[in-house]
PDB file of all heavy atoms in Angstrom:
ATOM      1  N   THR C 222       5.924  47.059  19.592  1.00 89.00           N
ATOM      2  CA  THR C 222       7.390  47.164  19.554  1.00 89.00           C
ATOM      3  C   THR C 222       7.937  47.392  18.120  1.00 89.00           C
ATOM      4  O   THR C 222       8.821  48.186  17.869  1.00 89.00           O
ATOM      5  CB  THR C 222       8.095  45.901  20.143  1.00 89.00           C
ATOM      6  OG1 THR C 222       7.423  45.562  21.287  1.00 89.00           O
ATOM      7  CG2 THR C 222       9.578  46.176  20.385  1.00 89.00           C
ATOM      8  N   MET C 223       7.406  46.553  17.177  1.00 91.00           N
ATOM      9  CA  MET C 223       8.012  46.416  15.859  1.00 91.00           C
ATOM     10  C   MET C 223       7.425  47.282  14.771  1.00 91.00           C
ATOM     11  O   MET C 223       8.064  47.714  13.837  1.00 91.00           O
ATOM     12  CB  MET C 223       7.949  45.006  15.332  1.00 91.00           C
ATOM     13  CG  MET C 223       8.737  44.041  16.246  1.00 91.00           C
ATOM     14  SD  MET C 223       8.959  42.460  15.547  1.00 91.00           S
ATOM     15  CE  MET C 223       7.296  41.794  15.493  1.00 91.00           C
ATOM     16  N   SER C 224       6.157  47.680  14.936  1.00 92.00           N
ATOM     17  CA  SER C 224       5.367  48.223  13.797  1.00 92.00           C
ATOM     18  C   SER C 224       5.482  49.602  13.459  1.00 92.00           C
ATOM     19  O   SER C 224       5.682  50.451  14.408  1.00 92.00           O
ATOM     20  CB  SER C 224       3.895  47.793  13.894  1.00 92.00           C
ATOM     21  OG  SER C 224       3.733  46.493  14.327  1.00 92.00           O
ATOM     22  N   SER C 225       5.444  50.026  12.181  1.00 92.00           N
ATOM     23  CA  SER C 225       5.260  51.370  11.891  1.00 92.00           C
ATOM     24  C   SER C 225       3.737  51.770  12.100  1.00 92.00           C
ATOM     25  O   SER C 225       3.361  52.781  12.495  1.00 92.00           O
ATOM     26  CB  SER C 225       5.716  51.607  10.439  1.00 92.00           C
ATOM     27  OG  SER C 225       5.052  50.865   9.566  1.00 92.00           O
ATOM     28  N   ARG C 226       2.968  50.751  11.595  1.00 94.00           N
ATOM     29  CA  ARG C 226       1.512  50.961  11.780  1.00 94.00           C
ATOM     30  C   ARG C 226       0.944  49.568  12.066  1.00 94.00           C
ATOM     31  O   ARG C 226       1.390  48.538  11.758  1.00 94.00           O
ATOM     32  CB  ARG C 226       0.805  51.468  10.511  1.00 94.00           C
ATOM     33  CG  ARG C 226       0.897  52.977  10.339  1.00 94.00           C
ATOM     34  CD  ARG C 226      -0.035  53.526   9.289  1.00 94.00           C
ATOM     35  NE  ARG C 226       0.121  52.804   8.046  1.00 94.00           N
ATOM     36  CZ  ARG C 226      -0.890  52.809   7.163  1.00 94.00           C
ATOM     37  NH1 ARG C 226      -2.037  53.362   7.399  1.00 94.00           N
ATOM     38  NH2 ARG C 226      -0.749  52.205   5.976  1.00 94.00           N
ATOM     39  N   ILE C 227      -0.265  49.599  12.755  1.00 94.00           N
ATOM     40  CA  ILE C 227      -1.007  48.520  13.199  1.00 94.00           C
ATOM     41  C   ILE C 227      -2.408  48.522  12.712  1.00 94.00           C
ATOM     42  O   ILE C 227      -2.990  49.614  12.875  1.00 94.00           O
ATOM     43  CB  ILE C 227      -1.036  48.313  14.723  1.00 94.00           C
ATOM     44  CG1 ILE C 227       0.423  48.164  15.329  1.00 94.00           C
ATOM     45  CG2 ILE C 227      -1.914  47.188  15.199  1.00 94.00           C
ATOM     46  CD1 ILE C 227       0.566  48.175  16.817  1.00 94.00           C
ATOM     47  N   ALA C 228      -2.903  47.421  12.055  1.00 94.00           N
ATOM     48  CA  ALA C 228      -4.303  47.370  11.819  1.00 94.00           C
ATOM     49  C   ALA C 228      -4.939  46.407  12.859  1.00 94.00           C
ATOM     50  O   ALA C 228      -4.520  45.259  12.891  1.00 94.00           O
ATOM     51  CB  ALA C 228      -4.621  46.825  10.491  1.00 94.00           C
ATOM     52  N   LEU C 229      -5.818  46.894  13.624  1.00 93.00           N
ATOM     53  CA  LEU C 229      -6.394  46.047  14.645  1.00 93.00           C
ATOM     54  C   LEU C 229      -7.701  45.430  14.102  1.00 93.00           C
ATOM     55  O   LEU C 229      -8.490  46.191  13.601  1.00 93.00           O
ATOM     56  CB  LEU C 229      -6.764  46.894  15.933  1.00 93.00           C
ATOM     57  CG  LEU C 229      -7.434  46.048  17.016  1.00 93.00           C
ATOM     58  CD1 LEU C 229      -6.542  44.992  17.660  1.00 93.00           C
ATOM     59  CD2 LEU C 229      -8.007  46.964  18.145  1.00 93.00           C
ATOM     60  N   MET C 230      -7.711  44.119  14.130  1.00 93.00           N
ATOM     61  CA  MET C 230      -8.882  43.550  13.442  1.00 93.00           C
ATOM     62  C   MET C 230      -9.734  42.808  14.509  1.00 93.00           C
ATOM     63  O   MET C 230      -9.351  42.338  15.568  1.00 93.00           O
ATOM     64  CB  MET C 230      -8.425  42.480  12.492  1.00 93.00           C
ATOM     65  CG  MET C 230      -7.788  43.115  11.163  1.00 93.00           C
ATOM     66  SD  MET C 230      -7.469  41.799   9.916  1.00 93.00           S
ATOM     67  CE  MET C 230      -9.172  41.403   9.424  1.00 93.00           C
ATOM     68  N   HIS C 231     -11.074  42.765  14.200  1.00 92.00           N
ATOM     69  CA  HIS C 231     -12.067  42.190  15.135  1.00 92.00           C
ATOM     70  C   HIS C 231     -13.161  41.665  14.233  1.00 92.00           C
ATOM     71  O   HIS C 231     -13.770  42.444  13.446  1.00 92.00           O
ATOM     72  CB  HIS C 231     -12.426  43.214  16.128  1.00 92.00           C
ATOM     73  CG  HIS C 231     -13.530  42.730  17.074  1.00 92.00           C
ATOM     74  ND1 HIS C 231     -13.340  41.507  17.885  1.00 92.00           N
ATOM     75  CD2 HIS C 231     -14.761  43.159  17.451  1.00 92.00           C
ATOM     76  CE1 HIS C 231     -14.469  41.343  18.584  1.00 92.00           C
ATOM     77  NE2 HIS C 231     -15.320  42.303  18.283  1.00 92.00           N
ATOM     78  N   GLU C 232     -13.497  40.355  14.396  1.00 91.00           N
ATOM     79  CA  GLU C 232     -14.591  39.717  13.609  1.00 91.00           C
ATOM     80  C   GLU C 232     -14.582  40.074  12.114  1.00 91.00           C
ATOM     81  O   GLU C 232     -15.567  40.422  11.577  1.00 91.00           O
ATOM     82  CB  GLU C 232     -15.870  40.109  14.267  1.00 91.00           C
ATOM     83  CG  GLU C 232     -16.025  39.376  15.612  1.00 91.00           C
ATOM     84  CD  GLU C 232     -17.341  39.719  16.446  1.00 91.00           C
ATOM     85  OE1 GLU C 232     -17.991  40.688  15.964  1.00 91.00           O
ATOM     86  OE2 GLU C 232     -17.607  39.080  17.340  1.00 91.00           O
ATOM     87  N   GLY C 233     -13.402  40.011  11.545  1.00 91.00           N
ATOM     88  CA  GLY C 233     -13.308  40.132  10.036  1.00 91.00           C
ATOM     89  C   GLY C 233     -13.278  41.613   9.660  1.00 91.00           C
ATOM     90  O   GLY C 233     -13.229  41.900   8.464  1.00 91.00           O
ATOM     91  N   ARG C 234     -13.352  42.477  10.592  1.00 91.00           N
ATOM     92  CA  ARG C 234     -13.382  43.926  10.205  1.00 91.00           C
ATOM     93  C   ARG C 234     -12.136  44.667  10.824  1.00 91.00           C
ATOM     94  O   ARG C 234     -11.586  44.197  11.875  1.00 91.00           O
ATOM     95  CB  ARG C 234     -14.649  44.647  10.858  1.00 91.00           C
ATOM     96  CG  ARG C 234     -15.885  44.214  10.109  1.00 91.00           C
ATOM     97  CD  ARG C 234     -17.087  44.887  10.783  1.00 91.00           C
ATOM     98  NE  ARG C 234     -18.216  44.823   9.850  1.00 91.00           N
ATOM     99  CZ  ARG C 234     -18.438  45.706   8.888  1.00 91.00           C
ATOM    100  NH1 ARG C 234     -17.686  46.819   8.664  1.00 91.00           N
ATOM    101  NH2 ARG C 234     -19.462  45.553   8.069  1.00 91.00           N
TER     102      ARG C 234
END
Side-chain angles (χ1 to χ4, degrees):
Chain C
T222 314
M223 299 192 290
S224 316
S225 60
R226 279 196 303 158
I227 297 171
L229 179 67
M230 290 189 70
H231 179 52
E232 291 177 349
R234 292 178 162 274

